[in-house]
């Protein structure tokens, strides 16, 4: 709802701007009928903006206020000016139009454009500085236009615009209200600081466990997909996806990473695995990137059962896209695995959606009655929709965490966030089963008793499953409401000047590395509010901790408790999540659309006693 409203509001602002400016141009060249039509369009679009703003405010949208106090008044002032000065010319039919009529229409256009520019330039929270600068910008454009139209402008007008500009610019340097930073904890006594590099994993497995030792060498290679097609990739051990790592609960996982020829360096990040901080693979934060010729050994206990994945965190957008990722699956101790257990990383290579290494349909023979578990991993940067046709099934785990009381699903669409995992379980029926990505009938997995791949029905109109209503609730939620730390993150885009001007992805108006850290103390109960003010989905991902979903758009989940490491904050959504701070370190907290992260949408969650001496620049 909010997403549609904000999109409609943006469209109306565009139409109003185009309408007024178009009317000015056509009136100036004497095309009266067209000018009338464009004026009517501009007026209708302006009224539509009033309606969308009122509705957004009624829906409780966080940012309706700035529309009510700034952009709407500007829009109306421009419209009234145009009505008075240009109305008689346009609708009275007097020809040819004079300077003031055309200039007033242009003014209305600038005022309408402010509604477009303001959200672009200004982050959250909106400041007086930004508001005054916006007014000054509109005023200056207006003055220039009126002079060009040879209309005398009162000195007072010029003075007011100048004043707005000066005060606005001045206020930009006054540190304003910041958003909730959680209350920065007190300074530490000297000698209490712990460096990240001291937070290493154990060197022995748990009793009864074994050591799972692997060597992964990052290098460029040409990989062959199942169809025979070849793709230039960045690989671990010449494969993309990299080697499938498996372990049993209690094992020690020990992986030595080497880099042969990935010039900008690589790391291994264990996505969703709450490893000790120095094993987390965040370059510039928990280690230096591993450059060609170097190595780094990661060690951690396999103490979380389920479906995970690993990927490079250095130049992560490019690196992961090119193939520097693989799967990590940990089985419970003592559970004999029966049936078919498939791990399926789904990735886009050179524009093709690939299941593992299958760029076309993969058909497998499975006898009826076999227990089947499909572990789907979305290794792309955008969400993907999956459907399972031909059988009833259960979504038994999300992000490696078992759901409580998952009910039977059938004709449902499963939307999997970037970086997220879904485990589907069912008993193989007598007929064929198909796993589709994006409802694409030409790719995906087919299971059947005879190994054939019969035609699949179209699944595109299956409705999307709402995870917050799936499964059954369990016990009282954790004691949130009494948390001792609360952070707010408003996600958006905006022009940022630090580190060279760019159109960045921002958190509370700032872009990494300029984003202030969220500072916590060990054992804090932390609540985080995440608001998406923009027009793109942001899959939010915190390292080192799983978060419990407390509410989405003000509504607590009614189904199974949801423990996630990646949750999709779609345009207009407001999420509340919580976690207990039990894993000391300096942790990345970022959007898992890795292109967004590279353009600033990241910050650190820092335990107050931990310091990092790595400053590699996390790019
Ligand atoms: Cu899967 Cu910080 O990443
Ligand atoms: Cu994002």
């Amino acid at each position: 709802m909010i997403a549609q409203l904000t999109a409609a509001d943006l469209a109306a602002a565009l139409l109003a701007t185009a309408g007024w400016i178009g009317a000015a141009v056509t009136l100036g060249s004497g095309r009266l009928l067209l000018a009338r039509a464009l004026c009517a369009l501009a007026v209708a679009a302006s009224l539509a903006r009033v309606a969308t703003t009122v509705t957004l405010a009624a829906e409780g949208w966080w940012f309706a206020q700035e529309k009510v106090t700034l952009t709407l008044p500007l829009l109306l002032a421009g419209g009234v000016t145009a009505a008075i000065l240009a109305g008689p010319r346009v609708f009275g039919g007097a020809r040819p139009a004079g300077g003031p009529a055309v200039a007033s229409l242009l003014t209305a256009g600038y005022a309408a454009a402010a509604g477009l520019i303001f959200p672009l330039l200004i982050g959250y929270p909106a400041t007086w500085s930004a508001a005054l600068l916006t007014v000054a910008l509109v005023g200056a454009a207006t003055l220039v236009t009126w002079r060009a139209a040879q209309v005398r402008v009162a000195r007072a007008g010029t003075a007011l615009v100048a004043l707005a500009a000066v005060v606005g610019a001045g206020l930009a340097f006054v540190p304003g209200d910041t958003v909730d930073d959680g209350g920065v904890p007190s300074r530490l006594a000297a000698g209490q600081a712990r460096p990240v590099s001291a937070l290493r994993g154990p060197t022995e497995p748990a009793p009864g466990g074994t050591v799972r030792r692997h060597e992964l060498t990052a290098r460029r290679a040409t990989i062959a997909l199942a169809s025979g097609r070849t793709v230039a990739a960045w690989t671990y051990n010449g494969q993309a996806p990299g080697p499938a790592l498996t372990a049993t609960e209690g094992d020690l996982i020990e992986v030595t990473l080497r880099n042969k020829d990935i010039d900008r360096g690589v790391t291994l990040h264990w996505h969703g695995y709450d490893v000790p901080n120095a094993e987390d693979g965040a370059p510039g934060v928990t280690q230096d990137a591993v450059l060609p010729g170097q190595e780094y050994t990661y060690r951690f206990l396999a103490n979380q059962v389920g479906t995970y994945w690993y990927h490079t965190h250095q130049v992560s957008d490019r690196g992961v896209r090119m193939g520097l990722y693989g799967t990590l699956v940990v089985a419970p101790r003592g559970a004999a695995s029966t049936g078919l257990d498939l791990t399926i990383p789904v990735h886009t290579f050179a524009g093709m959606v690939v299941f593992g290494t299958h760029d076309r349909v993969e058909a497998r023979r499975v006898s009826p009655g076999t227990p089947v578990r499909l572990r789907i991993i979305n290794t792309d940067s955008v969400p993907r929709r999956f459907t399972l046709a031909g059988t009833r099934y259960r979504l038994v785990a999300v992000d490696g965490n078992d759901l409580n009381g998952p009910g039977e699903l059938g004709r449902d669409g499963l939307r999997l966030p970037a970086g997220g995992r879904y485990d589907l379980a069912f008993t193989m029926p007598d007929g064929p089963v198909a796993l589709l990505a994006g409802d694409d009938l030409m790719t995906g997995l087919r299971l059947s008793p005879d190994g054939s791949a019969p035609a699949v029905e179209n699944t595109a109109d299956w409705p999307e499953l709402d995870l917050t209503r799936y499964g059954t609730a369990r016990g009282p939620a954790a004691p949130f409401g009494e948390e001792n730390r609360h952070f707010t993150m408003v996600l958006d885009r905006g022009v940022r000047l630090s580190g060279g001007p760019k159109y960045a992805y921002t958190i509370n108006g700032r872009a990494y590395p300029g984003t202030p850290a969220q500072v916590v103390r060990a054992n804090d109960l932390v609540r985080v509010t995440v608001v998406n003010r923009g027009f793109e989905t942001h899959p939010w991902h915190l390292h080192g901790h799983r978060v419990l979903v407390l509410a989405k758009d003000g509504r607590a989940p009614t189904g199974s408790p949801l423990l996630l490491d990646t949750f999709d904050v779609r345009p207009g959504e407001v999420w509340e999540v919580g976690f207990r701070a039990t894993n000391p370190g300096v942790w990345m907290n970022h959007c898992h659309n890795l292109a967004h992260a590279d353009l600033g949408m990241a910050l650190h969650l820092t335990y107050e006693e931990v310091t990092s001496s790595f400053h590699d620049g996390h790019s």
Side-chain angles (χ1 to χ4, degrees), residues 180-458:
D180 190 355
D181 62 0
V184 179
S186 57
R187 295 267 116 221
L188 288 174
Q192 270 181 285
R194 276 205 281 171
V196 163
S197 49
L199 300 167
R200 305 281 336 214
T203 50
E204 298 292 330
T210 59
V211 181
R212 306 275 183 160
R213 204 164 270 130
H214 300 273
E215 298 189 355
L216 298 186
T217 300
R219 61 182 172 90
R220 295 160 187 265
T222 300
I223 58 161
L225 301 175
S227 69
R229 223 182 132 143
T230 57
V231 179
W234 294 0
T235 71
Y236 292 115
N237 292 0
Q239 306 163 230
L245 306 185
T246 58
T248 302
E249 195 178 2
D251 289 350
L252 180 79
I253 297 175
E254 181 184 303
V255 182
T256 299
L257 169 68
R258 297 198 173 84
N259 182 358
K260 178 156 174 267
D261 56 8
I262 307 295
D263 297 338
R264 293 187 58 189
V266 293
T267 66
L268 285 171
H269 168 60
W270 311 95
H271 184 116
Y273 231 75
D274 302 339
V275 299
N277 196 219
E279 317 295 342
D280 193 49
V285 182
T286 65
Q287 66 171 103
D288 289 323
V290 176
L291 297 175
Q294 300 181 333
E295 63 173 61
Y296 191 95
T297 299
Y298 299 86
R299 282 186 199 89
F300 56 95
L301 272 187
N303 49 11
Q304 284 167 252
V305 166
T307 309
Y308 301 89
W309 64 300
Y310 62 83
H311 60 81
T312 185
H313 221 283
Q314 170 74 350
V315 209
S316 61
D317 178 33
R318 179 117 201 265
V320 177
R321 203 164 5 100
M322 290 297 287
L324 288 171
Y325 68 91
T327 64
L328 169 65
V329 172
V330 177
R333 177 77 67 91
S337 76
T338 53
L340 179 67
D341 191 326
L342 287 179
T343 304
I344 310 162
V346 178
H347 195 76
T348 305
F349 272 115
M352 296 170 296
V353 174
V354 178
F355 282 53
T357 55
H358 291 267
D359 51 335
R360 302 254 195 282
V361 164
E362 176 193 8
R364 281 178 172 254
R365 179 193 305 268
V366 185
S367 355
T370 309
V372 180
R373 187 176 185 114
L374 304 179
R375 304 169 184 267
I376 310 168
I377 308 175
N378 181 359
T379 61
D380 281 330
S381 271
V382 289
R384 195 174 288 288
R385 178 184 147 95
F386 290 92
T387 49
L388 188 67
T391 183
R392 309 281 301 167
Y393 66 96
R394 292 171 205 276
L395 171 54
V396 293
V398 177
D399 288 1
N401 303 297
D402 286 348
L403 295 186
N404 189 48
E408 277 207 330
L409 297 171
R411 303 168 72 83
D412 295 274
L414 304 177
R415 177 180 148 125
L416 184 57
R421 287 87 62 211
Y422 285 159
D423 288 21
L424 315 185
F426 58 93
T427 301
M428 184 66 194
D430 295 334
V433 171
L435 177 68
L436 305 178
D439 309 300
D440 178 7
L441 302 174
M442 308 307 289
T443 58
L445 176 68
R446 305 289 184 275
L447 309 176
S448 65
D450 61 0
S452 67
V456 183
E457 68 171 307
N458 194 314

Side-chain angles (χ1 to χ4, degrees), residues 13-40:
L14 267 172
L15 283 178
T17 307
W20 289 126
I21 291 175
V25 171
T26 47
L27 183 68
S29 61
R31 283 172 287 167
L32 205 53
L33 275 181
L34 194 51
R36 279 181 191 157
L38 287 168
C39 276

Side-chain angles (χ1 to χ4, degrees), residues 418-559:
R421 287 87 62 211
Y422 285 159
D423 288 21
L424 315 185
F426 58 93
T427 301
M428 184 66 194
D430 295 334
V433 171
L435 177 68
L436 305 178
D439 309 300
D440 178 7
L441 302 174
M442 308 307 289
T443 58
L445 176 68
R446 305 289 184 275
L447 309 176
S448 65
D450 61 0
S452 67
V456 183
E457 68 171 307
N458 194 314
T459 60
D461 59 352
W462 293 5
E464 183 185 317
L465 176 73
D466 180 355
L467 262 191
T468 65
R469 296 166 194 259
Y470 178 63
T472 49
R474 181 175 47 205
F480 287 95
E482 298 153 34
E483 75 281 347
N484 35 13
R485 209 70 71 190
H486 176 228
F487 301 105
T488 300
M489 290 191 272
V490 173
L491 312 180
D492 203 354
R493 290 205 78 172
V495 178
R496 286 299 157 267
L497 301 178
S498 63
K502 55 177 176 288
Y503 191 37
Y505 285 86
T506 58
I507 306 166
N508 300 334
R510 312 256 204 113
Y512 191 83
T515 41
Q518 298 171 334
V519 182
V520 297
R521 186 173 289 170
N523 228 27
D524 273 350
L525 196 55
V526 185
R527 185 165 58 93
V528 185
T529 305
V530 192
V531 190
N532 187 344
R533 188 185 192 238
F535 295 95
E536 291 163 89
T537 291
H538 301 298
W540 205 260
H541 175 58
L542 168 63
H543 288 207
H545 309 72
R546 283 159 288 172
V547 300
L548 179 71
V549 178
L550 303 173
K552 183 179 136 191
D553 292 336
R555 208 180 49 82
T558 55

